[in-house]
């Protein structure tokens, strides 16, 4: 199975898993009368929407370049990751609000938590396995959309586990105020994840430079070619677009070097960077070691 099919398959599994969990949470929530479980069902709805968005984005991003999009469609993944990050933040805020309502304005009505315990346990285990699979495919494909979806499902693991723990403690102690307290703490962790995902995707959309460690690796690779004929380098620019790391640079060659040798060295630089960083698109401008020539550029 090629990588694009793996991405679509992973996104499809996420959609099916979320749909099943939403139905179960809604049934358990209304049957038990638990506000926290119903809130979790609404949280899972955001997961469902995120999974649909991921499936759409990885499908569109896989489309080849065309007349209207000569640089390809990879930006769909960055946009999807940004929207999913916002959904994670929204889910965290929603849980905080609902937990606050239950904590400060609870009506005092008790409910039987046993059904919710079983459903939450199933949700935790299901999302744990599905998110692990998504992380694996996202890392292999370097997909920000799948990564965001995996992070989204992992936040659902945290929130479902928090509700599960609250239900278990309520069952044991009868202290129902524990439920919103735990939900609030879990929401803080979810909010942190959402902010991180949103920042990464936003930086990609704004063409921010690659991380410092990637830039240092690029410079290290170029330095290794100084004994091969590359006299110097300058104007290194880098950014991320979808799964691709876009790199531009200027390489200085001896003015007497023939064009074919310059071309071959540029090909080797591109291949080495691809091996080190993966999924790279490298654009090299070659300049001769001639001050008069360089001044004209």
């Amino acid at each position: 199975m090629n990588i694009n099919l793996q991405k679509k398959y992973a996104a499809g599994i996420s959609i099916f898993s979320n749909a099943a969990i939403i139905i179960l949470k809604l049934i358990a929530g209304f049957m038990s009368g638990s506000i926290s479980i119903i809130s979790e069902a609404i949280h899972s709805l955001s997961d469902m929407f995120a999974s649909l968005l991921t499936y759409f984005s990885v499908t569109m991003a896989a489309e080849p370049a065309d007349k209207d999009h000569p640089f390809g469609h990879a930006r769909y993944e960055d946009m999807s990751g940004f929207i999913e990050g916002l959904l994670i933040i929204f889910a965290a805020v929603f849980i905080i609000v609902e937990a606050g309502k239950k904590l400060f304005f609870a009506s005092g009505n008790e409910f039987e938590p046993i059904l919710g315990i079983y459903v939450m346990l199933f949700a935790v285990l299901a999302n744990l396995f599905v998110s692990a699979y998504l992380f694996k495919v996202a890392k292999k494909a370097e997909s920000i959309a799948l990564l965001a979806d995996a992070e989204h499902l992992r936040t659902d693991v945290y929130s479902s586990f928090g509700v599960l723990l609250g239900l278990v403690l309520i069952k044991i102690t009868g202290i129902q105020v524990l439920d919103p307290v735990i939900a609030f703490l879990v929401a803080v962790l979810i909010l942190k994840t959402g902010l991180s995902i949103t920042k990464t995707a936003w930086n990609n959309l704004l063409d921010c430079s690659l991380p410092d460690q990637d830039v240092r690796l690029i410079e290290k690779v170029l330095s290794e070619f100084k004994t091969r004929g590359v006299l110097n380098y300058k104007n290194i620019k880098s950014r991320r677009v979808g799964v691709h790391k876009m790199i531009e640079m200027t390489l200085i060659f001896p003015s007497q070097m023939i064009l074919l040798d310059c071309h071959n060295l540029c090909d080797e630089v591109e291949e080495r960077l691809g091996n080190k960083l993966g999924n790279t698109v490298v654009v090299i401008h070659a300049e001769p070691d001639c001050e008069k020539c360089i001044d004209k550029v």
Side-chain angles (χ1 to χ4, degrees):
M1 186 184 298
N2 65 46
I3 194 62
N4 287 327
L5 286 178
Q6 286 186 50
K7 288 162 67 176
K8 292 180 182 179
Y9 180 72
I13 289 177
S14 180
I15 293 171
F16 177 79
S17 172
N18 276 315
I21 290 172
I22 290 169
I23 293 172
L24 289 175
K25 286 180 178 179
L26 286 173
I27 292 174
F30 285 113
M31 288 185 65
S32 66
S34 169
I35 297 176
S36 61
I37 298 177
I38 295 175
S39 298
E40 260 301 291
I42 296 174
H43 176 208
S44 294
L45 280 173
S46 71
D47 292 344
M48 181 69 171
F49 179 75
S51 296
L52 290 169
L53 188 62
T54 298
Y55 187 84
F56 169 77
S57 68
V58 298
T59 299
M60 293 302 298
E63 292 293 319
D66 53 35
K67 182 179 179 180
D68 294 327
H69 303 86
F71 294 100
H73 301 78
R75 285 293 190 199
Y76 276 101
E77 292 210 33
D78 295 318
M79 182 59 71
S80 173
F82 178 72
I83 295 174
E84 288 190 42
L86 292 179
L87 286 174
I88 293 175
I89 293 172
F90 173 79
V93 172
F94 175 80
I95 292 172
I96 290 173
V97 171
E98 291 302 310
K101 289 180 181 178
K102 190 171 182 180
L103 184 61
F104 298 108
F105 306 105
S107 62
N109 294 330
E110 297 185 358
F111 64 92
E112 173 52 51
I114 190 64
L115 178 61
I117 290 174
Y118 289 125
V119 170
M120 288 299 107
L121 179 60
F122 173 79
V124 168
L125 295 176
N127 281 330
L128 195 62
F129 284 112
V130 174
S131 63
Y133 178 68
L134 289 179
F135 274 119
K136 180 180 178 181
V137 177
K139 183 178 180 180
K140 182 178 180 181
E142 296 190 59
S143 169
I144 183 64
L146 278 181
L147 177 62
D149 197 25
E151 290 283 9
H152 208 151
L153 282 180
R154 189 165 65 177
T155 62
D156 203 30
V157 172
Y158 295 151
S159 60
S160 294
F161 182 77
V163 173
L164 171 62
L165 182 58
L167 294 174
V168 170
L169 291 175
I170 290 171
K171 182 65 177 178
I172 295 173
T173 66
I175 305 175
Q176 300 205 5
V177 74
L178 292 172
D179 188 10
V181 171
I182 294 175
F184 178 83
L185 295 176
V186 171
V188 173
L189 296 177
I190 294 174
L191 183 62
K192 182 180 178 181
T193 299
L195 291 172
S196 176
I197 285 290
T198 302
K199 180 182 178 181
T200 299
W202 182 248
N203 285 343
N204 289 349
L205 289 171
L206 292 181
D207 287 334
C208 288
S209 178
L210 292 177
D212 291 340
Q213 60 266 29
D214 287 348
V215 175
R216 287 194 294 268
L217 183 57
I218 293 171
E219 294 176 343
K220 179 181 179 182
V221 168
L222 295 179
S223 297
E224 294 172 354
F225 279 86
K226 285 189 174 182
T227 59
R228 302 279 308 281
V230 177
L231 299 179
N232 209 342
Y233 57 84
K234 63 179 183 178
N235 299 334
I236 297 177
K237 300 177 183 178
S238 63
R239 58 190 174 124
R240 190 179 186 101
V241 180
V243 300
H244 303 295
K245 296 175 182 178
M246 317 293 288
I247 306 169
E248 298 179 19
M249 66 186 69
T250 298
L251 299 184
I252 311 298
F253 293 96
S255 56
Q256 301 84 4
M257 181 178 285
I258 63 174
L259 179 60
L260 179 61
D261 290 339
C262 290
H263 174 74
N264 290 337
L265 275 176
C266 288
D267 282 348
E268 288 188 43
V269 170
E270 292 174 15
E271 182 179 3
R272 184 77 63 82
L273 288 173
N275 292 335
K276 293 289 186 179
L277 294 172
N279 285 327
T280 57
V281 177
V282 184
V283 177
I284 300 175
H285 172 66
E287 286 186 359
D289 180 28
C290 169
E291 292 185 4
K292 185 177 180 180
C293 297
I294 294 176
D295 289 340
K296 290 182 179 181
V297 177

